[in-house]
């Protein structure tokens, strides 16, 4: 939002003029108008990130054009003037490239794929024996308010149906808990270890936020609101996404194909129960999304 003011100050600096506060007020007026446009874009359900990238891209092109024009007019000028002109040109080019990359990375998910290759190390691992061994991994983002959520997730887990649950806020895992240690699941770990499977599930959970956001964008024309439950049935079990609140969601996994419907019902009920809990995630949509088992598409 401050890019136009910076450009205006840069022009005055290159030309050696005193900064005009009248022009600053004009620039602030333009910024206010741009802010209003972005607010309306957000209110209409459009992608705010795309709009910001477009504003930065145009700003970068304008800065680049200003720099090029000054370079062309600075033939025979002093080294200081030439340095300012070339600096403006490269600044505009940098802003343009950055905005373009941001848009491509967001739309393609390439930035997310690179980020989720990194294995996250849990800051705390706890084991429960409740007739079956359950393993909970907690990360730096874990908060005291998440403890009750974890307890509810622990109650829903069972080696026979729902074997893994992850809790995510702002695309980052607060904790995940699983029943993968059960001997009955040994046939599923002939090619990978249980720890490798946990890491793969945690990374997949981070990718789900972006994936569902893209699905929401493509399905806006249905006028059915956002997706609050998604089931990825892979014919060797299934992966579940349940939206609890804004940027807060559960990811569940069953490894047994015959239990896909049973696990789906369990995580649906869990999501509805969690909708009544005060959580440490962003507030605002809990009351709306408690219909997770009802009218959502």
């Amino acid at each position: 939002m401050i890019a136009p003011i910076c450009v205006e100050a840069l022009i005055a600096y290159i030309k050696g003029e005193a900064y005009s506060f009248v022009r600053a007020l004009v620039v602030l007026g333009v910024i206010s108008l741009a802010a209003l446009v972005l607010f309306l874009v957000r209110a209409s359900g459009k992608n705010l990130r795309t709009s910001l990238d477009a504003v930065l891209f145009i700003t970068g092109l304008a800065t680049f054009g200003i720099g090029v024009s000054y370079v062309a007019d600075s033939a025979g000028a002093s080294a200081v003037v030439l340095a300012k002109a070339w600096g403006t040109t490269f600044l505009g080019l940098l802003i343009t490239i950055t905005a373009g990359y941001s848009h491509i990375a967001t739309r393609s998910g390439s930035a997310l794929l690179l980020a989720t290759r990194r294995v996250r190390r849990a800051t705390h691992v706890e084991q429960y024996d409740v007739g079956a061994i359950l393993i909970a991994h907690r990360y730096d983002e874990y908060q005291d308010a998440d403890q009750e959520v974890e307890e509810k997730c622990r109650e829903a887990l069972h080696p026979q149906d729902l074997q893994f649950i992850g809790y995510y806020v702002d695309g980052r895992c607060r904790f995940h808990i699983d029943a993968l240690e059960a001997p009955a699941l040994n046939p599923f770990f002939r090619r990978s270890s249980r720890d490798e499977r946990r890491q793969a599930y945690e990374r997949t959970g981070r990718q789900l936020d972006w994936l569902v956001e893209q699905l929401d964008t493509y399905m806006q024309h249905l006028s059915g609101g956002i997706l609050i439950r998604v089931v990825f049935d892979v014919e060797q079990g299934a992966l579940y996404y349940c939206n609890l609140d804004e940027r807060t969601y559960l990811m569940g996994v069953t490894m047994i194909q015959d239990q896909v419907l049973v696990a789906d019902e369990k995580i649906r009920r869990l999501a509805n129960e969690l909708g009544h809990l005060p959580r440490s995630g962003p507030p605002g949509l809990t009351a709306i999304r408690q219909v997770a088992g009802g009218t959502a598409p």
Side-chain angles (χ1 to χ4, degrees):
M1 298 293 287
I2 65 173
I5 294 180
C6 294
V7 171
E8 183 72 14
L10 192 59
I11 293 174
Y13 173 69
I14 292 175
K15 297 174 68 176
E17 299 175 348
Y19 189 75
S20 173
F21 288 98
V22 174
R23 290 191 301 190
L25 291 175
V26 172
V27 172
L28 286 174
V30 173
I31 291 176
S32 300
L33 179 61
L36 176 61
V37 171
L38 291 175
F39 173 78
L40 294 176
V41 166
R42 180 64 172 175
S44 66
K46 302 297 182 182
N47 194 317
L48 181 61
R49 177 67 177 270
T50 300
S51 303
L52 290 173
D53 288 339
V55 170
L56 283 176
F57 188 80
I58 294 172
T59 301
L61 285 179
T63 306
F64 178 76
I66 292 171
V68 169
S69 65
Y70 275 110
V71 168
D73 294 338
S74 299
S78 66
V80 174
V81 174
L82 283 173
K84 294 177 181 179
W86 279 109
T88 303
T89 303
F90 285 119
L91 176 63
L93 188 61
L94 179 62
I95 294 174
T96 303
I97 293 175
T98 301
Y101 171 78
S102 174
H103 178 70
I104 293 173
T106 301
R107 297 294 294 176
S108 67
S110 59
L112 178 65
L113 291 175
L114 290 174
T116 51
R117 285 181 181 177
R118 180 175 60 87
V119 176
R120 298 187 69 214
R121 300 298 179 186
T123 54
H124 179 78
V125 179
E126 190 164 348
Q127 178 174 310
Y128 304 92
D129 192 344
V130 289
I133 296 176
L134 307 181
I135 306 293
H137 289 70
R138 300 170 184 169
Y139 295 89
D140 289 332
E141 296 82 5
Y142 190 91
Q143 301 181 13
D144 291 340
D146 300 330
Q147 185 173 354
E148 190 173 0
V149 178
E150 182 184 329
E151 291 174 357
K152 292 289 185 181
C153 292
R154 187 166 67 239
E155 294 171 2
L157 284 170
H158 197 282
Q160 293 181 355
D161 41 57
L162 187 59
Q163 294 101 14
F164 181 98
I165 299 175
Y167 178 62
Y168 292 79
V169 178
D170 289 329
R172 297 180 68 83
C173 187
R174 293 284 181 89
F175 70 84
H176 57 77
I177 185 168
D178 66 78
L180 300 181
E181 296 295 326
L185 299 176
N186 286 345
F188 293 99
F189 300 103
R190 290 170 180 165
R191 296 184 178 180
S192 61
S193 69
R194 286 168 166 82
D195 283 337
E196 289 173 339
R197 190 66 67 91
R198 290 183 182 103
Q199 292 170 7
Y201 289 155
E202 192 277 325
R203 288 196 301 267
T204 300
R206 281 183 272 155
Q207 296 169 340
L208 280 180
D209 193 35
W210 175 85
L211 178 59
V212 174
E213 182 180 342
Q214 302 309 305
L215 290 173
D216 283 336
T217 300
Y218 293 132
M219 298 180 69
Q220 281 181 347
H221 66 281
L222 298 178
S223 301
I226 64 171
L227 290 167
I228 56 175
R229 287 177 58 221
V230 182
V231 179
F232 300 90
D233 189 332
V234 296
E235 297 187 355
Q236 290 183 340
L239 187 150
Y240 307 95
Y241 168 92
C242 285
N243 196 316
L244 302 177
D245 211 324
E246 187 176 7
R247 306 284 292 174
T248 305
Y249 59 94
L250 288 179
M251 170 198 162
V253 176
T254 182
M255 305 171 68
I256 304 174
Q257 183 64 25
D258 291 343
Q259 299 298 319
V260 167
L261 294 180
V262 175
D264 182 28
E265 177 64 14
K266 288 185 74 172
I267 200 163
R268 180 193 68 81
R269 291 180 180 177
L270 174 63
N272 278 341
E273 288 182 21
L274 296 179
H276 297 278
L277 293 180
R279 296 187 308 278
S280 52
L285 298 177
T286 301
I288 297 175
R289 291 176 181 172
Q290 286 172 2
V291 298
T295 60

